[in-house]
Amino acid sequence: MAALDTGARRHPSSFLTCFALLLFIATLFLFSALRRSFSPEGLSVGVQPSALRRDVPGEDYCDYSNGNWIRDQSSVIPRYDNSCKEIFKGWNCISSGKSNARELLQWRWKPLGCDLLPLDPVHFLRRFRNKSIGFVGDSLNRNMFVSLFCMLRKVYVGEVRKWRPAGADRGFTFVRNNLTVAYHRTNLLARYGSWSASSNGGALESFGFKQGYRVDVDVPEHTWAEALPFHDIIIFNTGHWWWSPSKFDPIWSPMLFFEKGMPVLPTISPDVGISITLKHMISYIEKRMKSDGIKFFLTLSPRHFEGGEWNQGGSCRRVQPLGIKEVEDLFSLEKNGTNVEVRLVNQHLMKALKGSSFHILNITHMSEFRADAHPSITGGKKHEDCMHWCLPGLTDSWIDLLISLLENLKS
């Protein structure tokens, strides 16, 4: 001890240097701990961090719709599998033997400037206890609805009640949490049905129309008209049916638009009709939705037919996501290709939603890359299915985006 004391007295600068170094390290440790306690990763137990985790210092906004698909072969944990009974047979690409069905699970969307975290279904069931979530739209919205249901069902232990709330096509309540998720099928949002010329004549008959489809632009379809006061959160979509000549042939079965019960004359084309319909439907929703309800509108999901339309030999047999140049070749408005309707519909949608209280769930660009994620020849149809998505698959990432927005809104 005496020797140590003597050495210390002989070299006071060494002692001070060591002490300063220890103090500096302790300060760094304390600063790091404090910093973590105020960062998303260090939130206290029971508080869910935002699903959009910032990784660019000083940036408060993240454009999650812009980014890249990253393949991660080392850490793929299926969130659910092909045994989920709600998966439509034609979308169950694992069971139907699609060659890259399991590889689809290896792709992760990486937005520029932030990370998109996967849905935590256990937390979701707790967070949205006593809530009801509705998906209102065509079969692409059903694709998304099934993604959410299968993720929740995978972890849920308890009774799941199957029913059809407020006109829904399908619905389930996770009884212990009193959480309901439901799908309301509607292709145009507006009411429509077959129309035939009257033997007594009329305004449309005078223009030579003999048959077609009557679309009431200001009347919602009955499948969802009563859903607005029931649900706390609703995700709407429409689009593909407006550009569906196989259903609404412009010559043999045209869309004939009515407003206030009377035909719109002179007659208008579907691209004009969708704008008028969106205006009426958005107004109807905003007037009747719960005052604290949350409304989302899904941008159009892209198709990936190459070599022709679905009934002209078009196919989608790629097994890797597209590159950016390939995306522009398929979807550019200037090139006016087979799948051009996706960006056309979005133009109408964005214009109609301007000034509304809707939140936009922009899934278009991230999905444009995924020509590999459709059922294709394994969809069980006479033609290739290059419109819907394999499950598990791309729409799981749509759910991640939805939940990220909900978390941000609620926090």
Side-chain angles (χ1 to χ4, degrees), residues 91-113:
W91 306 340
N92 199 327
C93 296
I94 294 176
S95 293
S96 61
K98 189 170 191 283
S99 63
N100 68 329
R102 294 192 183 277
E103 293 176 15
L104 297 178
L105 308 179
Q106 299 174 355
W107 292 97
R108 177 172 61 86
W109 180 246
K110 175 64 175 69
L112 297 179

Side-chain angles (χ1 to χ4, degrees), residues 257-300:
F257 296 96
F258 283 67
E259 190 171 21
K260 296 181 180 179
M262 301 297 293
V264 176
L265 297 173
T267 57
I268 57 177
S269 59
D271 64 311
V272 177
I274 188 175
S275 291
I276 298 174
T277 299
L278 284 171
K279 180 188 71 172
H280 282 294
M281 295 301 103
I282 289 168
S283 175
Y284 179 88
I285 294 164
E286 296 217 296
K287 289 177 182 177
R288 291 165 176 81
M289 186 86 178
K290 290 181 178 181
S291 59
D292 58 347
I294 301 175
K295 307 176 290 294
F296 290 94
F297 218 109
L298 193 72
T299 60
L300 198 63

Side-chain angles (χ1 to χ4, degrees), residues 149-317:
F149 171 79
C150 289
M151 288 186 212
L152 300 180
R153 191 70 185 92
K154 179 71 174 179
V155 302
Y156 184 79
V157 178
E159 180 188 356
V160 178
R161 176 189 173 195
K162 185 175 182 179
W163 63 309
R164 297 182 175 183
D169 183 67
R170 316 186 69 76
F172 300 91
T173 295
F174 297 84
V175 176
R176 192 175 69 243
N177 297 74
N178 192 29
L179 167 64
T180 295
V181 293
Y183 166 64
H184 301 256
R185 179 176 176 81
T186 174
N187 296 323
L188 306 178
L189 293 181
R191 183 179 69 188
Y192 77 97
S194 298
W195 177 89
S196 297
S198 170
S199 58
N200 297 324
L204 288 172
E205 289 84 349
S206 67
F207 280 85
F209 290 103
K210 296 181 179 180
Q211 60 186 8
Y213 283 90
R214 170 174 173 161
V215 181
D216 288 278
V217 297
D218 51 351
V219 181
E221 195 164 10
H222 72 280
T223 55
W224 68 274
E226 303 303 320
L228 302 178
F230 182 85
H231 295 299
D232 302 287
I233 300 164
I234 305 184
I235 302 92
F236 295 88
N237 92 310
T238 190
H240 283 292
W241 283 72
W242 293 89
W243 267 259
S244 180
S246 61
K247 176 72 174 179
F248 304 116
D249 185 278
I251 302 299
W252 303 110
S253 54
M255 300 175 87
L256 302 170
F257 296 96
F258 283 67
E259 190 171 21
K260 296 181 180 179
M262 301 297 293
V264 176
L265 297 173
T267 57
I268 57 177
S269 59
D271 64 311
V272 177
I274 188 175
S275 291
I276 298 174
T277 299
L278 284 171
K279 180 188 71 172
H280 282 294
M281 295 301 103
I282 289 168
S283 175
Y284 179 88
I285 294 164
E286 296 217 296
K287 289 177 182 177
R288 291 165 176 81
M289 186 86 178
K290 290 181 178 181
S291 59
D292 58 347
I294 301 175
K295 307 176 290 294
F296 290 94
F297 218 109
L298 193 72
T299 60
L300 198 63
S301 171
R303 306 181 306 154
H304 288 90
F305 286 100
E306 296 184 74
E309 264 289 358
W310 65 272
N311 57 350
Q312 299 170 345
S315 64
C316 51
R317 302 189 187 183

Side-chain angles (χ1 to χ4, degrees), residues 324-344 347 368:
I324 188 64
K325 184 181 183 303
E326 294 169 310
V327 165
E328 289 308 307
D329 286 343
L330 272 181
F331 299 105
S332 169
L333 294 176
E334 289 73 21
K335 296 190 177 182
N336 196 32
T338 302
N339 309 287
V340 71
E341 83 283 344
V342 64
R343 296 187 181 183
L344 288 173
Q347 287 182 346
E368 285 178 338

Side-chain angles (χ1 to χ4, degrees), residues 70-84 87 91-108 154 318-321 370 372-375 378 390-394 396:
I70 299 173
R71 190 170 185 177
D72 184 358
Q73 302 181 54
S74 62
S75 59
V76 177
I77 302 175
R79 296 191 263 184
Y80 60 95
D81 57 32
N82 54 314
S83 66
C84 180
I87 300 177
W91 306 340
N92 199 327
C93 296
I94 294 176
S95 293
S96 61
K98 189 170 191 283
S99 63
N100 68 329
R102 294 192 183 277
E103 293 176 15
L104 297 178
L105 308 179
Q106 299 174 355
W107 292 97
R108 177 172 61 86
K154 179 71 174 179
R318 295 178 183 258
V319 294
Q320 299 283 331
R370 299 308 305 276
D372 59 317
H374 297 286
T378 64
C390 293
L391 292 177
L394 173 67
D396 301 337

